[in-house]
Amino acid sequence: SDIGGNKVAHVVDQQNYALFNITMPGHMFEPGYVYRNVFVDANGNVVLRTYGEGTGGSKGFNTWFGKNGWPVVDVRIQKSLRR
């Protein structure tokens, strides 16, 4: 996909409800990756795990987004799965 000139390759792992995003040349977080998976825990809570690293020139924003951006996305995903 291409978001504002930041191209990302996506690998979908349907068996584990997971997505692996890999930054492509020219991406602001290149080189970088994010691995996310969704599961329901023993208490019935929808949980999203995110692992990743971006060491490109925008590392400060990458760290900020990891702490502030993914949780916003997670809430939307959790709400849509509860319907």
Side-chain angles (χ1 to χ4, degrees), residues 22-43:
I22 306 161
T23 60
M24 302 304 290
H27 192 287
M28 65 189 289
F29 297 141
E30 179 199 5
Y33 71 92
V34 173
Y35 176 84
R36 306 193 77 214
N37 79 311
V38 180
F39 64 96
V40 178
D41 70 12
N43 297 318

Side-chain angles (χ1 to χ4, degrees), residues 20-82:
F20 191 65
N21 294 333
I22 306 161
T23 60
M24 302 304 290
H27 192 287
M28 65 189 289
F29 297 141
E30 179 199 5
Y33 71 92
V34 173
Y35 176 84
R36 306 193 77 214
N37 79 311
V38 180
F39 64 96
V40 178
D41 70 12
N43 297 318
N45 299 307
V46 176
V47 179
L48 290 99
R49 284 193 198 147
T50 304
Y51 303 96
E53 181 178 23
T55 59
S58 299
K59 190 171 183 176
F61 179 73
N62 192 14
T63 301
W64 179 90
F65 189 82
K67 292 179 181 178
N68 300 287
W70 286 122
V72 172
V73 174
D74 293 352
V75 168
R76 283 190 268 167
I77 292 170
Q78 289 167 324
K79 285 181 180 178
S80 70
L81 292 172
R82 289 187 185 126

